[in-house]
């Protein structure tokens, strides 16, 4: 353990302050990735077909079997109906977009952090080369140790920036596709619910009787 800590300390000393920024970006990005992955996985696992959700609502089951977003949609629609407002396509579209933005939350941040990592690595490269040229101008090329410090900083930060960026971009785009898939399921759920209520309204039945 002591050797690992010593190696980490030496690495940060070689990389300079830019490496600290890259470490902070990496921790922030991975925390968002893991959190969003767990959120989307739990949500997908709990989702139920529309008829199952309606049956659970009509029978007043103590625990709703579907996902939280399905319960929110049903509750919101029920509040509209209670207040005398018949949900239409515009209302359902606004509701679906509101929940969809929540599903995609943090995904753009992940992609921005992944894209920023190589730029921070490039900044460290520039700082390392500036340090190298400063040493050359001060003492020529005879100070091999001083020269290696600047070159080491340039290479380490470039490498670290790419190591942070590549998995971040891959996983960020993967999560974006999953979030868009969830938005599509929300849209289909809202359209199915709208058709259910429209059919019930046209036939003069309550949605509970129709289902």
């Amino acid at each position: 353990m002591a050797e690992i800590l010593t190696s980490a300390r030496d690495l940060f000393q070689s990389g300079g302050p830019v490496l600290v920024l890259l470490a902070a970006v990496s921790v922030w990005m991975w925390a968002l990735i893991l959190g969003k992955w767990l959120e989307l996985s739990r949500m997908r696992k709990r989702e139920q077909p529309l008829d199952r959700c309606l049956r659970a609502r009509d029978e007043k089951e103590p625990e709703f079997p579907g996902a939280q977003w399905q319960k929110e949609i049903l509750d919101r629609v029920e509040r509209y109906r209670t207040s005398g407002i018949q949900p239409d396509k515009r209302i359902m579209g606004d509701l679906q977009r509101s929940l969809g933005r929540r599903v995609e939350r943090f995904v753009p941040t992940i992609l921005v952090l992944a894209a920023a990592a190589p730029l921070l690595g490039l900044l460290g490269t520039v700082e390392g080369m500036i340090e190298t040229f400063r040493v050359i101008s001060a003492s020529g090329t005879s100070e091999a140790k001083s020269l290696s410090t600047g070159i080491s900083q340039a290479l380490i930060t470039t490498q670290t920036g790419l190591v942070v960026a590549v998995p971040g971009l891959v996983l960020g785009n993967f999560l974006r596709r999953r979030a868009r898939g969830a938005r599509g399921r929300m849209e289909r759920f809202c359209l199915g619910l709208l058709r259910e209520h429209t059919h019930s309204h046209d036939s003069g039945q309550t949605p509970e009787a129709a289902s």
Side-chain angles (χ1 to χ4, degrees), residues 147-165:
L147 285 173
S148 66
T149 300
I151 296 173
S152 175
Q153 178 180 348
L155 295 177
I156 288 174
T157 53
T158 301
Q159 182 185 44
T160 305
L162 293 174
V163 168
V164 173

Side-chain angles (χ1 to χ4, degrees), residues 42-48 63-68 70:
R42 284 196 299 263
M43 184 177 69
R44 186 70 179 94
K45 186 177 180 179
R46 289 188 58 89
E47 289 175 8
Q48 297 291 331
E63 183 176 353
F64 186 74
Q68 180 63 29
Q70 293 177 313

Side-chain angles (χ1 to χ4, degrees), residues 20 36 72 110 125 127 129 147 161-162:
V20 178
K36 180 55 67 173
E72 288 186 30
I110 292 171
T125 301
E127 287 189 354
M129 297 311 297
L147 285 173
L162 293 174

